[in-house]
Amino acid sequence: MVDGVVFVIEYKLGAIQYDRSSLDQVYGYGLDLKHFHEPSHNRTIVPILVATHAPDNYGRPFQWDDDRLGRPLGVNPEGLLPAIHHMCRVYGGADNDAVAWEAGRYRPTPTIVEAAQALYRGHAVEEISRSEAGAENLTHTADYVANAIELAKRDRRKIICFVTGVPGSGKTLAGLNLATARQRAHSDEHAVFLSGNGPLVDVLREALALDAVARAREDGVKTSKTQEDRRAAAFIQNIHHFRDDALASRDAPVEKVAVFDEAQRAWDVEQTSKFMQQKKGQIGFSMSEPEFLLSVMDRHEDWCAIICLVGGGQEINTGEAGIEEWLRALERSFPHWQVHLPESLAHPCQLTDEVSTPALHLATSLRSFRAERLSDFVGHVITGNASAARQVNKELTNFPLYVTRDLDQARRWLRSKRRGAERAGLLASSNAARLKPHGVFVKAKIEPAKWFLAPSDDVRSSDALEDAGTEFDVQGLELDWTCLCWDANYRRVGDGWRALQFKGTRWQAVNDEARKAYVANAYRVLLTRGRQGMVVFVPEGSDEDATRMPTVYDDVYSFLVECGFAPL
């Protein structure tokens, strides 16, 4: 810090140009300070990229963002000191208490990708949690589970722990924290993080491998992408691959500790039986997915531990059983297992050995550093309570919520907000079939790892704002800035919502209550993917197209405005 100006300096040794990725990197460091370091919130911050073999770039016009964060400067070593002197002379003059600045609290809110990378590298959860309450909650939960596992090992018994939490409380983060901690301290347990969310698995694996390769290169350590892919795949597995391996062998799995993410999405008996018979040739298969997974871990002769991470209101696939099926399977077939439940989880099952504790509930939201009550707002929107949504919206002063009838305008807004390594993207329901006239074709599948991780100049990236991610692609993941493209499959009828599906050439009503819930939950998921702000695009419709009648979209638009979305 000089004359009250905070300089963030990144050296690139041997660099002959000021490339976009390096500029974004130092810009990201500046954003990190601005957002998460308390004494920097109101400071002037200047990011500088020093490319050691690049030509002189001094004199390029300098730009400021509205929050006094500068757009990154690019200089060579000879230009660094003149640039600092110039910035101090023109923009300096504030107090220069560097000691107080350095001692200020740093409270980050990483994305799940950044958190996974940090935990995989060996950082503690306290280092990556913005909220002291959130970090304490996560640590308390982790300590409880770790102690339960140690007792299970000592007593040679089998346990299952259910971890619940409010939306955005960090259940996946808690699971990754548990799995990485066990892996580091007890490698013989072969702790594994299992998820049925294919896109989440793909994105996290790719992110971990890319990060490991980059850090090995910086440290001069020899490795390869193939080698790091293999390591990441052993740590984060698709639950369906774990299931298939168990079908191929009757042996106990090598894993003694298994963390099941989004356990409420495991299949019920009907869906599992149908899949096993049709896809795996398992005639007469009559177990639900929870019961089968329990039976696999039960093959261990001595001890094992399952940790189930449980979310609510996120069931988006046919046949997802919810937490009740796990408890019914334990009651019916595994009375010798000790079951650890949060006190807030009421259930009708008669469990032989049940332990209730508040430590297994995560009560603090960590998702958005700008809007801790976003999930409450979205909940009211989905239930159709505009007045309640409007009341909560008054507290979302730092989380912009807009609505527009112009998709190009939404794209311009996203591009104007995204800075550095932040990510923006289009979202749409998987059955938003009549967005196609606007260039949003949900049947064209994205590559989630590329969509979430590729650089902004890659047309497959979310930042290209070409391809929309659906609820299946983005559940459990986040973007900084989102545009939800709202179609007629979730429309206003009277004072409530009606769910529809597009088949052939027309919309058809969804009458099954479970399927209605899937449509509502799809929009719930999509509305909670943004960390910093969101715009909703509601088409104008067309009088010439019976599948896109203007009145349908007008009613949705009016309701969103009534909820508190501001016209863009």
Side-chain angles (χ1 to χ4, degrees):
M1 182 193 299
V2 184
D3 287 343
V5 179
V6 178
F7 291 94
V8 182
I9 302 172
E10 170 71 13
Y11 273 83
K12 291 298 181 184
L13 301 179
I16 61 174
Q17 62 183 359
Y18 309 101
D19 63 275
R20 172 49 54 191
S21 63
S22 297
L23 288 167
D24 281 346
Q25 181 181 10
V26 71
Y27 199 9
Y29 295 151
L31 283 165
D32 199 52
L33 283 175
K34 178 63 71 173
H35 289 322
F36 307 129
H37 183 236
E38 287 186 347
S40 297
H41 290 341
N42 298 312
R43 289 282 184 182
T44 298
I45 301 177
V46 179
I48 300 178
L49 171 66
V50 182
T52 58
H53 290 68
D56 179 29
N57 194 36
Y58 188 70
R60 187 173 64 87
F62 189 73
Q63 295 177 289
W64 290 102
D65 294 332
D66 293 338
D67 54 3
R68 292 167 59 192
L69 171 65
R71 298 295 173 95
L73 283 173
V75 300
N76 58 20
E78 292 74 24
L80 177 59
L81 192 57
I84 291 175
H85 284 161
H86 173 75
M87 299 305 295
C88 290
R89 186 171 63 253
V90 177
Y91 303 107
D95 69 276
N96 206 40
D97 191 348
V99 174
W101 177 85
E102 186 177 9
R105 290 190 300 178
Y106 175 67
R107 305 194 301 171
T109 303
T111 65
I112 192 62
V113 169
E114 293 165 339
Q117 291 172 331
L119 292 170
Y120 196 60
R121 289 181 222 131
H123 291 280
V125 72
E126 295 90 339
E127 300 175 69
I128 60 173
S129 177
R130 170 183 64 97
S131 161
E132 284 91 345
E136 183 179 342
N137 203 185
L138 286 167
T139 303
H140 191 35
T141 299
D143 288 346
Y144 179 90
V145 174
N147 185 59
I149 292 173
E150 291 304 317
L151 290 175
K153 291 171 68 173
R154 186 196 70 186
D155 299 337
R156 295 174 63 83
R157 67 183 313 166
K158 296 162 185 177
I159 66 166
I160 183 168
C161 300
F162 293 91
V163 178
T164 60
V166 300
S169 58
K171 292 180 288 293
T172 299
L173 174 59
L176 289 167
N177 180 43
L178 289 163
T180 52
R182 301 307 299 184
Q183 192 179 66
R184 283 195 303 272
H186 307 275
S187 59
D188 59 313
E189 294 175 1
H190 300 282
V192 62
F193 181 89
L194 297 167
S195 176
N197 184 338
L200 177 70
V201 170
D202 292 343
V203 171
L204 290 182
R205 279 182 176 177
E206 181 72 2
L208 295 184
L210 289 173
D211 187 62
V213 169
R215 294 196 172 272
R217 187 181 300 117
E218 291 176 3
D219 297 338
V221 177
K222 187 176 181 181
T223 188
S224 67
K225 179 64 162 50
T226 301
Q227 185 175 347
E228 296 303 337
D229 281 337
R230 192 178 301 116
R231 288 176 180 168
F235 172 57
I236 296 179
Q237 293 183 31
N238 191 305
I239 198 169
H240 301 134
H241 295 163
F242 180 84
R243 176 201 62 203
D244 292 349
D245 288 343
L247 283 172
S249 169
R250 294 297 305 167
D251 295 335
V254 66
E255 296 86 3
K256 300 294 288 267
V257 176
V259 179
F260 289 108
D261 191 33
E262 296 179 4
Q264 79 284 353
R265 296 184 59 190
W267 288 344
D268 58 20
V269 175
E270 181 181 358
Q271 186 71 14
T272 308
S273 177
K274 180 180 177 182
F275 176 85
M276 289 294 193
Q277 294 187 55
Q278 292 182 354
K279 303 294 185 180
K280 300 297 178 181
Q282 301 285 320
I283 305 302
F285 194 92
S286 60
M287 286 189 284
S288 65
E289 194 167 32
E291 186 167 2
F292 178 67
L293 294 171
L294 280 161
S295 74
V296 172
M297 293 298 287
D298 196 53
R299 294 173 187 174
H300 287 290
E301 293 185 2
D302 50 359
W303 75 275
C304 65
I306 292 176
I307 297 92
C308 289
L309 311 176
V310 182
Q314 299 181 50
E315 295 81 7
I316 57 177
N317 279 308
T318 300
E320 291 180 350
I323 190 62
E324 294 80 7
E325 181 53 37
W326 285 91
L327 299 177
R328 285 194 294 268
L330 288 160
E331 178 186 38
R332 182 172 56 246
S333 306
F334 303 96
H336 55 290
W337 280 60
Q338 185 177 67
V339 184
H340 296 255
L341 292 165
E343 286 180 348
S344 56
L345 185 60
H347 65 88
C349 299
Q350 299 296 316
L351 302 175
T352 305
D353 189 355
E354 177 181 343
V355 181
S356 294
T357 172
L360 293 177
H361 181 69
L362 300 171
T364 304
S365 178
L366 305 175
R367 173 171 290 146
S368 174
F369 60 90
R370 287 191 169 183
E372 292 186 356
R373 294 205 62 194
L374 178 64
S375 60
D376 295 334
F377 171 78
V378 169
H380 293 314
V381 172
I382 294 300
T383 57
N385 191 336
S387 61
R390 195 164 56 251
Q391 284 299 116
V392 176
N393 185 55
K394 293 177 181 177
E395 300 180 34
L396 303 179
T397 54
N398 293 319
F399 193 94
L401 289 164
Y402 288 106
V403 62
T404 181
R405 314 303 295 271
D406 184 341
L407 184 54
D408 285 335
Q409 183 183 42
R411 286 190 174 105
R412 287 192 295 271
W413 183 79
L414 291 176
R415 291 187 178 112
S416 73
K417 304 305 289 186
R418 192 190 71 80
R419 299 187 288 181
E422 293 176 350
R423 297 201 73 93
L426 303 179
L427 306 174
S429 162
S430 59
N431 199 236
R434 298 311 297 140
L435 294 174
K436 191 175 179 182
H438 301 277
V440 178
F441 187 33
V442 295
K443 300 305 178 185
K445 300 302 181 184
I446 66 170
E447 298 177 75
K450 295 289 190 296
W451 199 77
F452 278 100
L453 302 173
S456 58
D457 58 357
D458 189 323
V459 296
R460 298 167 297 180
S461 162
S462 67
D463 290 331
L465 304 181
E466 292 187 9
D467 299 318
T470 71
E471 66 273 20
F472 301 115
D473 301 317
V474 303
Q475 188 174 38
L477 294 159
E478 302 164 315
L479 297 170
D480 290 282
W481 305 94
T482 62
C483 171
L484 169 55
C485 303
W486 201 296
D487 202 8
N489 64 320
Y490 202 52
R491 63 179 70 177
R492 298 295 295 171
V493 176
D495 294 330
W497 291 104
R498 177 175 293 178
L500 295 94
Q501 58 185 341
F502 193 79
K503 287 193 173 182
T505 61
R506 62 190 181 92
W507 292 105
Q508 297 180 4
V510 174
N511 297 316
D512 180 74
E513 291 302 319
R515 293 190 61 81
K516 288 180 183 178
Y518 298 147
V519 178
N521 287 339
Y523 276 88
R524 189 192 312 275
V525 167
L526 296 169
L527 284 164
T528 53
R529 293 309 94 190
R531 284 161 46 87
Q532 298 195 54
M534 166 174 50
V535 59
V536 177
F537 163 60
V538 182
E540 294 279 3
S542 171
D543 286 321
E544 299 176 355
D545 184 347
T547 67
R548 298 188 296 124
M549 295 306 295
T551 54
V552 171
Y553 297 101
D554 291 345
D555 289 344
V556 171
Y557 178 84
S558 298
F559 178 76
L560 294 179
V561 171
E562 189 181 354
C563 288
F565 286 88
L568 186 63

